[in-house]
Amino acid sequence: MQEGAHVPSVEESDEPKMRDVFSDVPTDTGLATDPAGVVIAELGDADPRILTLSADVGVTLAEFRSRHPERYIEMGIAETNSISVAAGLAASGFVPYVFSMSAFGVLKTAEQLRTGAAYNRLPVRLVGRLTGLAMGFFGTSHHAVEDVAVARAITGLSVVAPADAQSVISLMRATVDREGPVYIRIAEDAQPVYAEPPTYRPGELLRVREGADVTLVGHGMGVGLALRAAARLAEEGVQAEVLDAAWLKPFDAEGVVASARSTGAILTIEDHDVVGGLASMVAEAVGRAGVAAALGSIALPDERLEVGVPAQLYERYGLTVPNVAAQAKALLGR
């Protein structure tokens, strides 16, 4: 389990705000609103093998399209075909990045990812935007809350979930030469965690904050929530260890078990269904190791979810700093 993350000071009052995710943004704010789009343009500058395919999210790739129009392919609302086309391009020596809405990316393309990309160990990268409840106002069809469960079940498919814009930079760079396909799950409006791109090792948890009383582990937006909750808990005398589970597959089971032995209590935080996501992964790891630890989870219930703007849904389902802190204390019996 890696240590030494560079963490900036953060304000606990930072709450996610709704914005128009379909609009272009100025370059100087690009990293805050569209980090994957900014980074893929830079990667394209350095590596002529890199191509991008858009499944109706072309605004994300505006900068790449401007710099490398000959390496941009608009697929429209054709997610399944985009993976098949990407697999063919990967077999021809390219490194294609397919950008899609997460609600349709993994779920609609699971067969193509499995048979076309993973079975053949091809370097296809599926970049999922609008994860979790980021498009909650469009209804259940646009909730991306089962994608991690489906993706981690595909043999040979790596899964990463950046915590913030700096994390996106690091993980996007790390995928260029990785063998086989990768699913990159981009959280929208994630609260800042890192002051600079963190150094990840594939398949290892990154320790963001040390603590001996309870472990808070999250991916995507869950890391920022955990970090801010840990600051609140510290004011009450509870020292929480915060772990960034950016690498969901391969997953650091040994790191989770070590933390369970150290603190005796683990709380997972994620904008994903409670079935098959990080909560399940941690429980599996701890259970298989035979470690006695208190386990808790803040995740989305396995039921039909409500419709509303993201901030309202995060509040309803407990994806807030106060609830993370409260659930951590409850886990400790305080």
Side-chain angles (χ1 to χ4, degrees):
M1 181 164 50
Q2 187 183 349
E3 300 184 38
H6 187 168
V7 185
S9 60
V10 294
E11 295 295 331
E12 294 179 17
S13 60
D14 290 345
E15 295 294 340
K17 300 178 177 62
M18 182 178 173
R19 63 178 175 78
D20 183 355
V21 295
F22 296 108
S23 297
D24 274 314
V25 294
T27 301
D28 60 352
T29 60
L31 273 178
T33 57
D34 181 24
V38 171
V39 175
I40 194 63
E42 295 175 353
L43 293 176
D45 291 344
D47 192 336
R49 300 175 303 158
I50 292 178
L51 310 176
T52 61
L53 295 83
S54 165
D56 200 35
V57 288
V59 69
T60 301
L61 292 164
E63 188 64 25
F64 186 96
R65 185 172 63 245
S66 174
R67 296 189 202 179
H68 310 289
E70 75 286 357
R71 287 191 268 146
Y72 170 84
I73 303 172
E74 176 56 60
M75 297 297 299
I77 305 176
E79 288 84 2
T80 53
N81 284 346
S82 68
I83 297 298
S84 296
V85 170
L89 292 167
S92 301
F94 294 101
V95 180
Y97 284 74
V98 181
F99 281 67
S100 175
M101 300 180 195
S102 285
F104 312 123
V106 172
L107 296 183
K108 291 183 69 174
T109 70
E111 196 278 332
Q112 285 75 20
L113 280 170
R114 183 193 68 169
T115 307
Y119 178 78
N120 295 296
R121 301 179 182 175
L122 295 172
V124 172
R125 286 77 174 93
L126 174 59
V127 182
R129 292 202 60 195
L130 303 166
T131 60
L133 298 172
M135 296 186 73
F137 43 86
F138 281 91
T140 302
S141 63
H142 285 60
H143 292 159
V145 299
E146 310 92 350
D147 53 323
V148 171
V150 174
R152 65 183 283 247
I154 298 176
T155 301
L157 176 64
S158 299
V159 182
V160 297
D164 66 359
Q166 297 295 338
S167 180
V168 169
I169 294 172
S170 178
L171 289 168
M172 289 282 287
R173 289 172 176 169
T175 60
V176 174
D177 293 316
R178 184 167 180 81
E179 181 179 357
V182 182
Y183 173 45
I184 306 169
R185 188 183 201 260
I186 308 292
E188 304 298 327
D189 293 323
Q191 300 175 48
V193 174
Y194 301 104
E196 57 190 29
T199 300
Y200 293 105
R201 296 192 185 101
E204 289 191 20
L205 294 164
L206 183 61
R207 181 180 286 110
V208 183
R209 180 183 177 123
E210 295 186 352
D213 296 325
V214 62
T215 301
L216 306 179
V217 55
H219 64 80
M221 68 178 294
V223 183
L225 293 174
L227 184 60
R228 286 158 177 79
R232 287 199 177 192
L233 290 168
E235 295 175 355
E236 302 180 38
V238 178
Q239 298 302 317
E241 179 178 59
V242 177
L243 303 179
D244 179 357
W247 280 91
L248 293 170
K249 187 179 181 182
F251 183 63
D252 189 1
E254 292 183 2
V256 163
V257 170
S259 186
R261 288 196 174 106
S262 174
T263 67
I266 298 183
L267 179 67
T268 59
I269 306 102
E270 59 185 328
D271 58 338
H272 185 275
D273 194 297
V274 69
V275 176
L278 182 61
S280 296
M281 297 162 72
V282 168
E284 291 166 8
V286 173
R288 286 171 178 158
V291 174
L295 301 181
S297 68
I298 296 175
L300 301 171
D302 188 30
E303 60 187 42
R304 181 181 295 179
L305 302 177
E306 298 292 340
V307 176
V309 296
Q312 293 173 326
L313 296 177
Y314 297 148
E315 184 73 31
R316 179 177 179 83
Y317 293 115
L319 288 164
T320 65
V321 171
N323 187 54
V324 173
Q327 293 302 317
K329 289 190 292 183
L331 197 63
L332 295 173
R334 301 190 185 186

